[in-house]
Amino acid sequence: MIAFALGWAPYIVLVAAYLSLSIVSRSMSIPDSKNFITILSILWIFVVQGDSILLGPFSRLEWGDGEFMFLGYFPYLADNRDALFLHELMGGVDRYSLGRIGGAIYSGRLWMSEVMPLWLVVVLMRILVTSVALWSVYLFARKRFHTPRLAAFGFGALFSAGFDVTTSLTFLYGVSIAAIPLVLLALCRLEFKARPIIIFFLVALFYILFADPFFWLIGLWISAISLAVWHRPNNVVLYFLGLVLMSILWVANFAEAIVGMVQMVPQSSRPDAPSVAMFGDFAGYLKFQLQWMFNFRMTYNAGSWPYFVPLIYTFVQATRFKNRQIFIAGSMSLIMGIITPFLVAVPWGEIGLDFLTSYRWYVEYCAFAMVMLSAAAAACLRMDVRTDNGHLPAAICISVALAMVFVFKVNTVLHMKTRGNLSRLEQISNLQNPDWFENRNARVVGIPTGYDPNSSVSYGLSSFDGISTIVPKSTYEFWRELILETDMPAHAYNPGLPFRAEFNTCCEAYDISRDLNLDMLRVANVGYILSFKQLETNGLAKISGPQVQQPISAIGKAPDIFVYELPNPFPRAYPATSVTSFAADSNFDEFVDHIRENAPLGDAAIRTTMPDDAIAPNSIDAGSLATALIPDGFQIDIPVATGGAIIVNAPPLPWWSVTASGGQSLEWAAANLGQVVVFVPKGVESFEMLYQRPTLY
């Protein structure tokens, strides 16, 4: 049944829709009015996003990246706007390493998250993005090409329903792609008049506030240049001046995030996973790109029919009417769809642009918008536009769009049956009221099934897993080398458990020690494991949750989650029982083997030499330390000031500054791949460890 629903059924919907629309268009007069299009648009938004509108907090999670990336920690970010170092996320991360939202001065999504529950923000973003996608194409087609209303609506409907960026990943990407035609329209209409200038500024601000910050500025420039090749704006100079001004506003809003990302990339795991490596070589990447853009199967997160159908229509019209301009329009959309492998293959590091070696270009996503504009222009190539209301292109586009909506809904049902719904982000009752949470200083780890590890912080818990744009290499290596008993995917660069099919099954208990080294989790200050999958209690103690695992409920409030306790986790900071120094060029595997064996005994393994005045590490009593989390760091008190070495569970990034209570700077070193060891002289009763990465403002 599922194979049929995702295989032949969409094509049946497509054919049935096209035949129905053709019969209707021939047998009755379809109104060609603004009011009719407005009513049709409202109905269309409900067709695409009606399930979320009706279900509200019980609607689906985001798909793909958006499900387990960024969504869960928005309420936490909204409450921690002023912190540079976020203790509770992934064992501690730089705010700007979150990338998509961490560094924005102004963010519409964060504003909304401050005054609304997360589920409402997500649902409103779905309505907003799908509506913007529909109307931005429609308005551009009408205002610039005078495309017949019904045809303009058809292209807008296809754009709004055909891609994950306008339907299923609306919270994550915002209006980044959906509003590109709207931005280009505002640029094209710029003149030395008040109204178009005011409209441009309003559109630019709206786009910047509700777009995904990092990836789209270059794509927007490529789109604007591509459009200018075949379509002349009202004023070419103002067109590009407006684009420059918008870029300045964009950079001003995200400057801190951009600078932070440039600083963080060399310290992160991201350069270890370039896009080309996922496909073996350039040829493999290009083959993948072509298959992805021209996939004959109707599927989301791909070009597929919503891309190549309007592209083919553009070229057919250009050939039929021998129109060079429209041929160029289609060619630019085609180039944008396949250029990413070529951009990724450029050796950016050799010309001093190392930042771009891990940049996700996403130009093909912009091609989704541009192909609609080229097709809308092609729809005007007729003998007499006034007597042709665009029934054919409208019927084609709406039929494909309805087929894609069908695919979308089938995937939504399957997704909710295996992942649950939005209530799991903030409404799990035994996480909302965690009477089991006795060790308030311990971290948690989540099994990524119906639970989003990033949402731990929305329940007031401190996580040691989750996903970020720029993850410290130390955190990633700690997970990959010391915690995970299974291999990470070759292109992975985030901590936490990779997905396993068994996590979605019901209802036998799963032995998580197959995947996780529980001893190393204890070393990392992890005291609890959260899971909707029932786990075997080898080395664990179940302390909260249902008696037996229940099948995942697609609709309805999230059930209680299983909570398992790891006994005796190491604290956030603890005295080292020994310090073992390895040479910087020592064998990495031997170094890792030593950590795995000795870190649970309190050893700090470092790949550098110890300071000359370092005190014997076992001089500090383990029970005497008092650790407090302070803004951007730690306050550690040592009542018995005998000196020694203290291990702190924090990623060893280069921007830590350690200062004793007397004002002297203390030396520290990276230890055990993912920790910091501070060398404390005799007589020091306390010290502060502060994260001080240089920032712009």
Side-chain angles (χ1 to χ4, degrees):
M1 178 63 76
I2 294 176
F4 175 77
L6 294 175
W8 288 104
Y11 302 103
I12 296 174
V13 172
L14 186 153
V15 173
Y18 181 77
L19 292 176
S20 300
L21 291 171
S22 298
I23 293 171
V24 169
S25 65
R26 290 191 182 98
S27 60
M28 61 181 293
S29 175
I30 298 177
D32 184 27
S33 66
K34 294 180 181 179
N35 290 338
F36 176 73
I37 295 298
T38 300
I39 295 171
L40 204 58
S41 299
I42 294 172
L43 291 174
W44 183 255
I45 299 303
F46 193 82
V47 166
V48 179
Q49 300 292 4
D51 54 318
S52 292
I53 295 171
L54 294 175
L55 293 175
F58 307 125
S59 60
R60 60 176 173 82
L61 289 158
E62 296 279 277
W63 289 9
D65 288 348
E67 179 189 355
F68 290 104
M69 199 172 194
F70 314 111
L71 183 59
Y73 58 55
F74 258 69
Y76 170 77
L77 282 179
D79 292 336
N80 291 271
R81 280 181 173 269
D82 298 326
L84 178 61
F85 185 79
L86 302 172
H87 291 287
E88 290 80 5
L89 278 173
M90 291 159 271
V93 296
D94 187 301
R95 173 182 196 85
Y96 300 102
S97 73
L98 303 181
R100 301 199 183 253
I101 200 62
I105 297 177
Y106 298 106
S107 164
R109 288 175 293 178
L110 274 185
W111 283 346
M112 294 168 70
S113 298
E114 289 178 345
V115 298
M116 303 176 189
L118 183 58
W119 71 264
L120 182 57
V121 179
V122 174
V123 171
L124 289 177
M125 284 299 297
R126 288 172 184 169
I127 299 171
L128 174 68
V129 173
T130 303
S131 301
V132 168
L134 171 63
W135 280 98
S136 62
V137 170
Y138 176 84
L139 289 174
F140 196 106
R142 289 289 299 158
K143 299 293 185 181
R144 302 304 297 179
F145 307 136
H146 305 290
T147 307
R149 285 193 177 91
L150 200 58
F153 171 83
F155 292 119
L158 180 56
F159 184 50
S160 69
F163 307 105
D164 58 343
V165 293
T166 56
T167 53
S168 62
L169 282 177
T170 50
F171 183 88
L172 176 62
Y173 291 137
V175 299
S176 305
I177 296 299
I180 280 181
L182 187 64
V183 172
L184 295 177
L185 175 61
L187 288 169
C188 284
R189 290 168 64 88
L190 272 176
E191 296 177 327
F192 289 104
K193 297 179 181 179
R195 182 176 177 179
I197 292 175
I198 292 172
I199 290 175
F200 163 73
F201 273 102
L202 292 176
V203 170
L205 291 175
F206 167 74
Y207 188 74
I208 292 170
L209 287 176
F210 288 95
D212 186 37
F214 271 137
F215 303 118
W216 308 112
L217 183 58
I218 294 178
L220 180 61
W221 268 88
I222 293 174
S223 300
I225 294 171
S226 171
L227 178 66
V229 168
W230 61 272
H231 178 69
R232 184 177 179 82
N234 289 2
N235 188 307
V236 176
V237 174
L238 287 181
Y239 179 82
F240 284 103
L241 281 178
L243 189 59
V244 170
L245 179 58
M246 185 173 176
S247 301
I248 292 173
L249 293 174
W250 178 299
V251 171
N253 194 42
F254 300 118
E256 194 68 84
I258 295 170
V259 170
M261 186 173 184
V262 171
Q263 291 175 316
M264 291 288 296
V265 162
Q267 308 295 329
S268 77
S269 57
R270 194 173 185 90
D272 293 343
S275 299
V276 173
M278 298 168 60
F279 309 101
D281 54 19
F282 170 76
Y285 196 169
L286 181 59
K287 179 181 178 181
F288 166 83
Q289 188 75 12
L290 291 171
Q291 292 175 339
W292 192 78
M293 294 300 292
F294 297 96
N295 189 350
F296 188 75
R297 181 180 179 184
M298 289 190 179
T299 180
Y300 271 86
N301 195 25
S304 185
W305 284 65
Y307 173 73
F308 68 70
V309 167
L311 184 66
I312 292 172
Y313 175 79
T314 300
F315 282 123
V316 168
Q317 287 288 90
T319 303
R320 177 186 174 192
F321 292 97
K322 298 180 174 59
N323 189 293
R324 180 183 177 188
Q325 180 186 17
I326 300 303
F327 182 83
I328 293 174
S331 299
M332 297 305 296
S333 300
L334 176 61
I335 291 171
M336 289 179 63
I338 64 175
I339 198 175
T340 292
F342 297 92
L343 294 173
V344 171
V346 174
W348 299 106
E350 296 180 8
I351 56 177
L353 299 175
D354 301 81
F355 166 75
L356 294 178
T357 59
S358 61
Y359 184 81
R360 290 291 299 275
W361 293 89
Y362 287 113
V363 180
E364 62 270 25
Y365 284 71
C366 300
F368 297 161
M370 298 306 296
V371 76
M372 299 300 168
L373 302 187
S374 63
C380 297
L381 297 180
R382 303 181 183 280
M383 298 304 293
D384 188 351
V385 174
R386 293 171 298 176
T387 60
D388 192 329
N389 58 7
H391 283 181
L392 178 61
I396 294 173
C397 289
I398 294 174
S399 300
V400 175
L402 285 171
M404 293 304 296
V405 170
F406 177 83
V407 174
F408 178 36
K409 299 305 180 185
V410 171
N411 277 281
T412 293
V413 172
L414 296 176
H415 189 262
M416 293 178 68
K417 288 183 65 176
T418 57
R419 295 287 188 263
N421 56 57
L422 286 173
S423 70
R424 297 182 176 230
L425 295 175
E426 293 183 297
Q427 299 178 33
I428 302 173
S429 60
N430 64 331
L431 297 187
Q432 289 176 313
N433 303 294
D435 53 6
W436 49 267
F437 193 34
E438 296 182 357
N439 185 354
R440 293 280 169 173
N441 294 317
R443 294 168 171 161
V444 302
V445 162
I447 307 301
T449 311
Y451 183 71
D452 176 2
N454 279 324
S455 68
S456 293
V457 293
S458 68
Y459 292 102
L461 307 173
S462 179
S463 70
F464 188 54
D465 51 359
I467 292 178
S468 175
T469 301
I470 305 294
V471 175
K473 181 180 291 187
S474 56
T475 304
Y476 168 72
E477 287 185 339
F478 194 94
W479 270 92
R480 183 187 64 189
E481 303 292 343
L482 300 173
I483 293 178
L484 290 182
E485 301 289 0
T486 55
D487 292 333
M488 278 188 166
H491 59 278
Y493 52 86
N494 276 288
L497 272 163
F499 287 104
R500 294 180 66 90
E502 293 91 333
F503 295 161
N504 279 327
T505 60
C506 182
C507 295
E508 296 181 359
Y510 182 80
D511 182 8
I512 198 60
S513 64
R514 293 167 45 190
D515 301 296
L516 298 175
N517 184 320
L518 301 184
D519 287 335
M520 292 309 303
L521 280 181
R522 291 190 187 92
V523 170
N525 184 225
V526 175
Y528 304 97
I529 295 179
L530 313 176
S531 174
F532 278 112
K533 174 70 176 175
Q534 188 171 2
L535 306 179
E536 293 184 5
T537 54
N538 299 333
L540 302 172
K542 179 190 167 189
I543 57 174
S544 182
Q547 293 298 316
V548 294
Q549 181 181 348
Q550 302 295 323
I552 291 177
S553 173
I555 300 176
K557 186 177 179 181
D560 283 357
I561 194 171
F562 290 104
V563 180
Y564 298 91
E565 184 178 27
L566 278 77
N568 304 316
F570 285 41
R572 191 68 64 99
Y574 59 94
T577 57
S578 59
V579 177
T580 305
S581 179
F582 287 76
D585 58 353
S586 59
N587 183 277
F588 183 73
D589 291 337
E590 292 179 2
F591 181 63
V592 170
D593 289 341
H594 175 88
I595 297 172
R596 190 177 291 112
E597 181 177 349
N598 293 281
L601 304 177
D603 179 67
I606 62 177
R607 301 188 83 180
T608 184
T609 56
M610 288 180 60
D612 294 335
D613 58 350
I615 307 286
N618 58 357
S619 303
I620 301 173
D621 177 24
S624 66
L625 291 182
T627 304
L629 303 183
I630 60 176
D632 298 328
F634 304 87
Q635 169 79 41
I636 299 177
D637 296 326
I638 315 168
V640 182
T642 55
I646 294 177
I647 297 174
V648 183
N649 269 302
L653 294 166
W655 301 291
W656 288 112
S657 174
V658 185
T659 306
S661 51
Q664 70 268 39
S665 296
L666 304 185
E667 294 194 56
W668 64 272
N672 298 335
L673 288 183
Q675 298 175 310
V676 168
V677 58
V678 179
F679 300 102
V680 183
K682 187 175 181 179
V684 172
E685 296 182 349
S686 68
F687 65 85
E688 283 190 352
M689 180 174 165
L690 293 178
Y691 186 80
Q692 296 179 319
R693 180 177 60 75
T695 57
L696 289 178
Y697 37 77

